[in-house]
Amino acid sequence: MAAGNSSAILRSSVPADVPVLFQLIQAKAEFDQQSHTFTGNAGSLSEHLFGLRPYAEAIIAEHADQVVGFALFFYNYSTFLTKPGIYIEDLFIFPEYRQKGIGKAILTYLAQQAVIRDCGRLEWTVAIWNEPAINFYQNLGASVLPDWRICRVAGDSILNLASQT
């Protein structure tokens, strides 16, 4: 599918994309200054995207036959709306391909998928230090919710919580 005003092509990922998706995820971790938390592997990514029980989907953005970005997303659920939603875990475009309409095209595509799939929301997070992204998202009509914070239990903390009686 063409990507709106950009010269990029958007397509659903296929198993052969896993190595490049994994590289894109590593690049996003570096951009987010989170490389120290990166512990994933391509095998798990492949299983979780294309295995017997897929947990997520990914969109690939290509420009001149080169992969330049991606979005990985999955369903969440709103009890208040009693509808599913689409949660974008990651959206990343290599810096040299930004401001070419690719990010907008990806978000437009995912909004279209949310409508087709009868979802009540399209959601994602943005780092508070990433002002260019915040402005971009707000210009597209997104609300940045100031009264909500992400809570996360991971690593040893999740093991400790799970062992509670």
Side-chain angles (χ1 to χ4, degrees), residues 31-147:
F31 176 80
D32 288 344
Q33 303 167 15
Q34 293 296 312
S35 293
H36 62 284
T37 66
F38 190 88
T39 61
N41 64 73
S44 291
L45 179 63
S46 181
E47 179 65 25
H48 296 149
L49 289 175
F50 303 107
L52 293 176
R53 184 176 178 195
Y55 290 96
E57 299 175 55
I59 298 299
I60 300 287
E62 295 179 327
H63 176 76
D65 295 324
Q66 177 136 357
V67 175
V68 299
F70 82 108
L72 188 139
F73 61 99
F74 49 85
Y75 287 109
N76 60 11
Y77 191 81
S78 169
T79 54
F80 290 5
L81 300 176
T82 61
K83 285 189 165 198
I86 290 178
Y87 181 81
I88 306 168
E89 175 66 19
D90 285 326
L91 190 159
F92 180 77
I93 297 155
F94 285 124
E96 59 270 27
Y97 293 96
R98 293 182 187 154
Q99 299 185 353
K100 296 183 183 302
I102 299 169
K104 180 179 180 182
I106 290 172
L107 288 170
T108 299
Y109 172 81
L110 291 174
Q112 291 166 349
Q113 288 302 303
V115 170
I116 290 167
R117 299 175 188 197
D118 194 29
C119 294
R121 295 179 178 156
L122 177 63
E123 296 180 305
W124 61 93
T125 60
V126 61
I128 59 172
W129 55 263
N130 195 345
E131 283 295 326
I134 291 169
N135 292 332
F136 170 68
Y137 298 143
Q138 288 176 325
N139 285 336
L140 290 178
S143 300
V144 178
L145 307 176
D147 298 330

